[in-house]
Amino acid sequence: MRWRGKRKSSNVEDRRNTQVSGAGGFGRGGGGILRLLPMIFKVLGFKGTAILIVGVGAYGLFTGNLGNMLGGLGLQQETSTGVSTAPLTETAAEREQVDFVAVILADTEETWSSLFQQRGMTYQEPSLVLFRDAVKSACGMAQSAMGPFYCPADQQVYIDLSFFEQLKNQFKAPGDFAQAYVIAHEVGHHIQTLLGISSEVHAARSKLSAVEGNKLSVKQELQADCFAGVWANHANNSRQLLEAGDIEEGLTAASAIGDDTLQKQSQGHVSPDSFTHGSSAQRVKWFQVGFASGNMESCDTFKGS
């Protein structure tokens, strides 16, 4: 990618020198709704009560109010999360990665600002948080093992730079465009939040079975892949950011993190009903759809659902 010397986004927040510890467990306080559980159980039965608790927890996680809601349930955390800072140490390679991330984020801002303006809308730029090992977001605590993620509650993308090494070594998807694809996919989730798609999916999933809910989640993830392709189209045609072989790197990354590929590696077989992000073929297909068209409207993965 021809990224060096390009504009860097000012929306990168570096928390790599922040250490988060003491996540703690949940206590057994008897306050709040917990006191009413016997009555709720009598009215709704075991299944109804379980569905209620899971629904409340899911809503709290999505909105970033899980801690307050757990407090209301009488399940507040007994130990607080400790946050400390230390002088930041980084290698020259890490510094270059930070610059790369800032440039790619800036380029997504160029694309989506333009596309939103064409729709008569103003693009609200997300922040991108860099962290190491663990991070506290409005969606709760997260470990690096979760991989990059987007939190709709604070509209921020979270990335531990070590994931890029994992992408290269474990998933066999090297290259700077493979990394850019990951960033663009998470920004795609931000687009879904701004357009109200994420909230619609969340509301619909709450009324579905686990299997049907997973299918809806897959469609949401595939749309984010398609939006990443839309960005790549504009990065290439408007700003000539891509070089020969870059798209192949992106397709390799999309294929490497498909649900079927990851399940084969981890458990030796594939369970389509448990897919949450889509198969390798689906992820590749929808990235290609977005890249070929450069058009948001081409990314309706929910059509016919």
Side-chain angles (χ1 to χ4, degrees):
M1 296 185 71
R2 304 181 185 93
W3 64 271
R4 290 179 176 81
K6 304 290 186 180
R7 180 181 75 86
K8 300 175 187 177
S9 173
S10 60
N11 293 313
V12 176
E13 180 182 349
D14 197 340
R15 295 191 206 167
R16 290 177 297 156
N17 65 334
T18 301
Q19 297 177 332
V20 182
S21 61
F26 294 110
R28 296 186 178 181
I33 299 174
L34 193 60
R35 292 176 177 173
L36 302 178
L37 278 181
M39 185 180 300
I40 295 174
F41 184 86
K42 182 180 294 185
V43 175
L44 299 180
F46 177 82
K47 184 177 181 180
T49 303
I51 292 174
L52 175 64
I53 293 175
V54 170
V56 169
Y59 179 81
L61 183 60
F62 180 83
T63 60
N65 292 320
L66 185 58
N68 292 334
M69 297 180 74
L70 288 172
L73 287 168
L75 296 173
Q76 54 267 58
Q77 286 187 297
E78 290 184 328
T79 58
S80 60
T81 301
V83 178
S84 60
T85 58
L88 176 63
T89 58
E90 63 178 352
T91 64
E94 287 175 324
R95 183 65 254 170
E96 184 173 61
Q97 279 191 321
V98 173
D99 291 341
F100 171 77
V101 167
V103 168
I104 299 304
L105 184 63
D107 203 85
T108 65
E109 293 166 356
E110 293 281 343
T111 292
W112 293 112
S113 292
S114 175
L115 292 177
F116 268 57
Q117 187 175 28
Q118 292 173 20
R119 285 182 160 220
M121 303 170 64
T122 301
Y123 179 59
Q124 301 170 31
E125 299 172 352
S127 295
L128 187 149
V129 177
L130 299 174
F131 71 97
R132 284 175 179 165
D133 301 326
V135 68
K136 184 177 181 181
S137 75
C139 293
M141 289 289 300
Q143 303 290 330
S144 296
M146 292 176 55
F149 68 96
Y150 171 78
C151 174
D154 57 22
Q155 297 190 7
Q156 296 188 134
V157 174
Y158 293 82
I159 295 178
D160 186 327
L161 293 176
S162 65
F163 177 78
F164 292 149
E165 285 300 310
Q166 185 181 11
L167 191 65
K168 173 185 176 181
N169 298 323
Q170 180 179 337
F171 299 126
K172 309 303 179 186
D176 50 10
F177 189 80
Q179 299 172 10
Y181 154 75
V182 170
I183 297 170
H185 172 89
E186 299 305 333
V187 171
H189 285 308
H190 179 61
I191 304 304
Q192 292 173 323
T193 295
L194 296 181
L195 296 179
I197 296 170
S198 296
S199 58
E200 290 177 6
V201 170
H202 176 72
R205 287 193 66 187
S206 67
K207 303 174 185 177
L208 299 173
S209 66
V211 171
E212 293 303 315
N214 284 344
K215 290 180 181 179
L216 202 55
S217 176
V218 166
K219 293 177 180 180
Q220 184 178 8
E221 293 294 334
L222 293 177
Q223 186 178 57
D225 283 330
C226 187
F227 285 160
V230 169
W231 161 75
N233 173 289
H234 290 268
N236 186 46
N237 293 331
S238 300
R239 294 175 293 281
Q240 293 74 52
L241 203 65
L242 276 60
E243 296 177 304
D246 279 343
I247 292 300
E248 287 74 16
E249 290 178 3
L251 296 178
T252 297
S255 177
I257 55 179
D259 283 325
D260 52 345
T261 300
L262 295 178
Q263 287 184 358
K264 284 179 182 177
Q265 293 175 353
S266 63
Q267 62 191 29
H269 64 276
V270 176
S271 303
D273 284 347
S274 64
F275 284 4
T276 57
H277 286 66
S279 68
S280 294
Q282 288 175 314
R283 302 198 71 166
V284 166
K285 170 195 169 182
W286 281 104
F287 176 84
Q288 289 177 315
V289 167
F291 181 69
S293 70
N295 189 337
M296 294 173 65
E297 281 68 31
S298 69
C299 295
D300 187 3
T301 56
F302 299 93
K303 186 179 294 183
S305 60

